[in-house]
Amino acid sequence: MPDYDREGLISAWAFDGAGGARRIGWEEIQRGQPPAGGFHWINLQQLDHRHGRTWLADESQIDPSIVESLTAAETRPRCALFDNGAFLNLRGINLMPYSLPDEMHSVRFWVEPHRIVSVRKRALSAVGDFEDAIQRGRAPRTPGEFVADLSMRLVDRMDTVITALAEQADELEEKVLSATLSNLSPKVSEVRRVAIILRRYIAPQREALNHFSLEDAEWLSPRDRNRLREAADRVTRFAEELDSVRDRAAVIYDQMVERRAEQMNRSMLILAAVTVIFAPLTLITGLMGMNVEGIPGSQDPNGFWAVTVMAAMLGVGLVAWLRMIRWL
């Protein structure tokens, strides 16, 4: 066995095939002998350092092309079936503290009849809850049940985030006619951005789950296949819901543009009305205020009030005319 530190291992479990499980260490992993009728689960951290990569490449006896898929930097959800197992790449929404709703982290699986190797880069709440359930005695009995159970947990967390996103879209639709546009615009953009990002990864996950359910293996029971198809159906519904949220956000944005244009038109109409009213008055007062000889009423002590009354009457007449033609 190579002489190096065993870094990169998050956890490892031995399942007895009857609903029980226990934690194991590197020694038992190295022996590669799961309990009779059971299987091992080896959960690895994303292998940016060489230690875990060395174990996968030299000791795991996994095909190099599969090792490359397990350690790829960025991949979309997919499934590939092989003679001796299946590769499955899924994505999950993280509900841990300080996680953003659009953060979808990948978890990759290599599934064999007696061993499951998973690789992930960041912690996922679904995987953490799954391990908590195992510790409480609710362990899967077969690799197929393992994948089906974990897939449903990933889907459940998608449901939480997508439902919240749809509710945000509902609130924005209610506020679009009353809220300040400057406050509403960033929220609409954020909802639309999150919906686009989530759909980019959720849509391929449906095909990955459906493809995995077609695996012709004894460890994948009809019940497991049905649960995988149910998870795929829910993912399909999520993709449709995200399409709806994205379209609704676009409609809300169009309403905001129309409302902003209406406000601008109203402002321009008021400015035009003010111009129509005060332009003649400005002309008259400008003529009467010229400091030259011959201005009518310049010697009359009541001349100022006469001009003021005339300007007021003209102003009232212009306002009445604008109201008649419905400018005001």
Side-chain angles (χ1 to χ4, degrees), residues 257-269:
V257 171
E258 292 177 0
R259 184 183 166 197
R260 185 175 286 110
E262 182 180 351
Q263 291 177 345
M264 185 174 297
N265 290 338
R266 181 66 178 173
S267 300
M268 294 300 295
L269 183 62

Side-chain angles (χ1 to χ4, degrees), residues 219-238:
W219 45 264
L220 196 60
S221 67
R223 179 176 178 273
D224 298 332
R225 298 180 195 276
N226 290 335
R227 294 182 69 197
L228 287 168
R229 293 191 185 102
E230 179 185 353
D233 291 341
R234 292 180 65 186
V235 170
T236 302
R237 181 174 64 82
F238 296 156

Side-chain angles (χ1 to χ4, degrees), residues 137-206:
R138 300 174 57 186
R141 293 179 290 273
T142 64
E145 185 177 347
F146 176 100
V147 175
D149 192 0
L150 189 53
S151 299
M152 292 298 292
R153 291 177 183 273
L154 291 172
V155 169
D156 287 340
R157 280 148 184 81
M158 292 181 190
D159 197 353
T160 302
V161 173
I162 293 173
T163 299
L165 196 65
E167 291 175 353
Q168 289 182 16
D170 293 339
E171 294 177 0
L172 292 174
E173 285 181 333
E174 293 177 0
K175 295 179 179 179
V176 68
L177 297 178
S178 58
T180 305
L181 295 181
S182 59
N183 296 332
L184 201 62
S185 182
K187 297 178 181 179
V188 174
S189 300
E190 179 66 13
V191 167
R192 191 166 186 270
R193 184 187 69 83
V194 172
I196 291 174
I197 293 176
L198 291 180
R199 194 194 183 286
R200 183 187 308 163
Y201 294 111
I202 285 179
Q205 191 139 313
R206 170 189 56 194

